[in-house]
PDB file of all heavy atoms in Angstrom:
ATOM      1  N   TRP A 921     -12.828 176.447 -94.815  1.00 98.00           N
ATOM      2  CA  TRP A 921     -14.141 175.927 -95.219  1.00 98.00           C
ATOM      3  C   TRP A 921     -14.216 175.283 -96.595  1.00 98.00           C
ATOM      4  O   TRP A 921     -14.713 174.153 -96.732  1.00 98.00           O
ATOM      5  CB  TRP A 921     -15.212 177.002 -95.089  1.00 98.00           C
ATOM      6  CG  TRP A 921     -16.566 176.420 -95.364  1.00 98.00           C
ATOM      7  CD1 TRP A 921     -17.294 176.543 -96.505  1.00 98.00           C
ATOM      8  CD2 TRP A 921     -17.300 175.530 -94.505  1.00 98.00           C
ATOM      9  NE1 TRP A 921     -18.446 175.812 -96.407  1.00 98.00           N
ATOM     10  CE2 TRP A 921     -18.476 175.181 -95.191  1.00 98.00           C
ATOM     11  CE3 TRP A 921     -17.078 175.011 -93.229  1.00 98.00           C
ATOM     12  CZ2 TRP A 921     -19.423 174.342 -94.641  1.00 98.00           C
ATOM     13  CZ3 TRP A 921     -18.017 174.156 -92.690  1.00 98.00           C
ATOM     14  CH2 TRP A 921     -19.190 173.833 -93.392  1.00 98.00           C
ATOM     15  N   ASP A 966     -12.634 178.074 -89.993  1.00 98.00           N
ATOM     16  CA  ASP A 966     -14.057 178.379 -90.201  1.00 98.00           C
ATOM     17  C   ASP A 966     -14.880 177.571 -89.190  1.00 98.00           C
ATOM     18  O   ASP A 966     -14.426 177.237 -88.098  1.00 98.00           O
ATOM     19  CB  ASP A 966     -14.399 178.048 -91.682  1.00 98.00           C
ATOM     20  CG  ASP A 966     -15.543 178.850 -92.219  1.00 98.00           C
ATOM     21  OD1 ASP A 966     -16.699 178.573 -91.809  1.00 98.00           O
ATOM     22  OD2 ASP A 966     -15.342 179.729 -93.057  1.00 98.00           O
ATOM     23  N   ASP A 967     -16.093 177.246 -89.565  1.00 98.00           N
ATOM     24  CA  ASP A 967     -17.050 176.569 -88.679  1.00 98.00           C
ATOM     25  C   ASP A 967     -16.490 175.229 -88.196  1.00 98.00           C
ATOM     26  O   ASP A 967     -15.542 174.673 -88.778  1.00 98.00           O
ATOM     27  CB  ASP A 967     -18.345 176.326 -89.472  1.00 98.00           C
ATOM     28  CG  ASP A 967     -19.576 176.186 -88.583  1.00 98.00           C
ATOM     29  OD1 ASP A 967     -19.412 176.037 -87.368  1.00 98.00           O
ATOM     30  OD2 ASP A 967     -20.695 176.203 -89.127  1.00 98.00           O
ATOM     31  N   TYR A1008     -13.931 181.983 -86.594  1.00 99.00           N
ATOM     32  CA  TYR A1008     -15.296 182.067 -87.148  1.00 99.00           C
ATOM     33  C   TYR A1008     -16.343 181.997 -86.038  1.00 99.00           C
ATOM     34  O   TYR A1008     -16.189 181.227 -85.072  1.00 99.00           O
ATOM     35  CB  TYR A1008     -15.481 180.873 -88.087  1.00 99.00           C
ATOM     36  CG  TYR A1008     -16.907 180.565 -88.501  1.00 99.00           C
ATOM     37  CD1 TYR A1008     -17.387 180.965 -89.736  1.00 99.00           C
ATOM     38  CD2 TYR A1008     -17.771 179.856 -87.648  1.00 99.00           C
ATOM     39  CE1 TYR A1008     -18.697 180.663 -90.125  1.00 99.00           C
ATOM     40  CE2 TYR A1008     -19.079 179.551 -88.039  1.00 99.00           C
ATOM     41  CZ  TYR A1008     -19.531 179.971 -89.275  1.00 99.00           C
ATOM     42  OH  TYR A1008     -20.815 179.679 -89.672  1.00 99.00           O
ATOM     43  N   CYS A1016     -23.849 177.857 -88.727  1.00 98.00           N
ATOM     44  CA  CYS A1016     -24.559 177.214 -89.842  1.00 98.00           C
ATOM     45  C   CYS A1016     -24.513 175.691 -89.706  1.00 98.00           C
ATOM     46  O   CYS A1016     -25.405 175.016 -90.161  1.00 98.00           O
ATOM     47  CB  CYS A1016     -23.984 177.664 -91.193  1.00 98.00           C
ATOM     48  SG  CYS A1016     -24.024 179.441 -91.416  1.00 98.00           S
ATOM     49  N   MET A1017     -23.463 175.160 -89.079  1.00 98.00           N
ATOM     50  CA  MET A1017     -23.348 173.704 -88.916  1.00 98.00           C
ATOM     51  C   MET A1017     -23.841 173.243 -87.547  1.00 98.00           C
ATOM     52  O   MET A1017     -23.623 172.105 -87.150  1.00 98.00           O
ATOM     53  CB  MET A1017     -21.906 173.248 -89.117  1.00 98.00           C
ATOM     54  CG  MET A1017     -21.430 173.384 -90.557  1.00 98.00           C
ATOM     55  SD  MET A1017     -22.481 172.587 -91.797  1.00 98.00           S
ATOM     56  CE  MET A1017     -22.299 170.872 -91.376  1.00 98.00           C
ATOM     57  N   LYS A1042     -14.426 186.048 -88.806  1.00 99.00           N
ATOM     58  CA  LYS A1042     -15.475 185.884 -89.832  1.00 99.00           C
ATOM     59  C   LYS A1042     -16.794 185.670 -89.071  1.00 99.00           C
ATOM     60  O   LYS A1042     -16.889 184.745 -88.264  1.00 99.00           O
ATOM     61  CB  LYS A1042     -15.180 184.682 -90.715  1.00 99.00           C
ATOM     62  CG  LYS A1042     -16.321 184.280 -91.633  1.00 99.00           C
ATOM     63  CD  LYS A1042     -15.887 183.193 -92.612  1.00 99.00           C
ATOM     64  CE  LYS A1042     -17.047 182.649 -93.428  1.00 99.00           C
ATOM     65  NZ  LYS A1042     -16.601 181.639 -94.398  1.00 99.00           N
ATOM     66  N   ASP A1044     -20.657 184.833 -89.591  1.00 98.00           N
ATOM     67  CA  ASP A1044     -21.661 184.333 -90.532  1.00 98.00           C
ATOM     68  C   ASP A1044     -23.049 184.802 -90.108  1.00 98.00           C
ATOM     69  O   ASP A1044     -23.232 185.324 -88.999  1.00 98.00           O
ATOM     70  CB  ASP A1044     -21.573 182.800 -90.504  1.00 98.00           C
ATOM     71  CG  ASP A1044     -21.826 182.219 -91.882  1.00 98.00           C
ATOM     72  OD1 ASP A1044     -22.450 182.880 -92.713  1.00 98.00           O
ATOM     73  OD2 ASP A1044     -21.377 181.051 -92.120  1.00 98.00           O
ATOM     74  N   TYR A1080     -26.617 187.496 -96.804  1.00 98.00           N
ATOM     75  CA  TYR A1080     -27.890 187.014 -96.250  1.00 98.00           C
ATOM     76  C   TYR A1080     -29.045 187.949 -96.572  1.00 98.00           C
ATOM     77  O   TYR A1080     -30.161 187.507 -96.830  1.00 98.00           O
ATOM     78  CB  TYR A1080     -27.759 186.754 -94.732  1.00 98.00           C
ATOM     79  CG  TYR A1080     -26.961 185.475 -94.485  1.00 98.00           C
ATOM     80  CD1 TYR A1080     -25.589 185.515 -94.319  1.00 98.00           C
ATOM     81  CD2 TYR A1080     -27.611 184.247 -94.467  1.00 98.00           C
ATOM     82  CE1 TYR A1080     -24.858 184.355 -94.158  1.00 98.00           C
ATOM     83  CE2 TYR A1080     -26.879 183.081 -94.281  1.00 98.00           C
ATOM     84  CZ  TYR A1080     -25.509 183.140 -94.127  1.00 98.00           C
ATOM     85  OH  TYR A1080     -24.801 181.972 -93.976  1.00 98.00           O
ATOM     86  N   ARG A1102     -19.136 189.277 -97.526  1.00 98.00           N
ATOM     87  CA  ARG A1102     -19.522 188.363 -98.596  1.00 98.00           C
ATOM     88  C   ARG A1102     -20.723 188.919 -99.364  1.00 98.00           C
ATOM     89  O   ARG A1102     -21.627 189.500 -98.779  1.00 98.00           O
ATOM     90  CB  ARG A1102     -19.873 187.011 -98.008  1.00 98.00           C
ATOM     91  CG  ARG A1102     -18.649 186.209 -97.510  1.00 98.00           C
ATOM     92  CD  ARG A1102     -17.986 185.476 -98.660  1.00 98.00           C
ATOM     93  NE  ARG A1102     -18.964 184.647 -99.369  1.00 98.00           N
ATOM     94  CZ  ARG A1102     -19.398 183.476 -98.945  1.00 98.00           C
ATOM     95  NH1 ARG A1102     -18.900 182.954 -97.836  1.00 98.00           N
ATOM     96  NH2 ARG A1102     -20.296 182.787 -99.626  1.00 98.00           N
ATOM     97  N   ASP A1106     -21.664 180.642-101.535  1.00 98.00           N
ATOM     98  CA  ASP A1106     -20.422 179.928-101.228  1.00 98.00           C
ATOM     99  C   ASP A1106     -19.820 179.375-102.513  1.00 98.00           C
ATOM    100  O   ASP A1106     -20.557 178.820-103.342  1.00 98.00           O
ATOM    101  CB  ASP A1106     -20.701 178.722-100.308  1.00 98.00           C
ATOM    102  CG  ASP A1106     -21.066 179.141 -98.902  1.00 98.00           C
ATOM    103  OD1 ASP A1106     -21.147 180.351 -98.627  1.00 98.00           O
ATOM    104  OD2 ASP A1106     -21.273 178.233 -98.077  1.00 98.00           O
TER     105      ASP A1106
HETATM  106  C1  GLA B1174     -21.834 179.470 -94.606  1.00 50.97           C
HETATM  107  C2  GLA B1174     -20.701 180.382 -95.091  1.00 50.97           C
HETATM  108  C3  GLA B1174     -19.496 179.517 -95.444  1.00 50.97           C
HETATM  109  C4  GLA B1174     -19.059 178.746 -94.220  1.00 50.97           C
HETATM  110  C5  GLA B1174     -20.197 177.911 -93.690  1.00 50.97           C
HETATM  111  C6  GLA B1174     -19.859 177.248 -92.367  1.00 50.97           C
HETATM  112  O1  GLA B1174     -22.310 178.660 -95.618  1.00 50.97           O
HETATM  113  O2  GLA B1174     -21.107 181.158 -96.196  1.00 50.97           O
HETATM  114  O3  GLA B1174     -18.448 180.356 -95.922  1.00 50.97           O
HETATM  115  O4  GLA B1174     -18.600 179.634 -93.242  1.00 50.97           O
HETATM  116  O5  GLA B1174     -21.385 178.677 -93.519  1.00 50.97           O
HETATM  117  O6  GLA B1174     -20.917 176.545 -91.838  1.00 50.97           O
END
Side-chain angles (χ1 to χ4, degrees):
W921 185 258
D966 206 287
D967 204 348
Y1008 165 101
C1016 303
M1017 292 306 295
K1042 169 173 173 178
D1044 216 338
Y1080 285 91
R1102 287 278 306 281
D1106 289 2

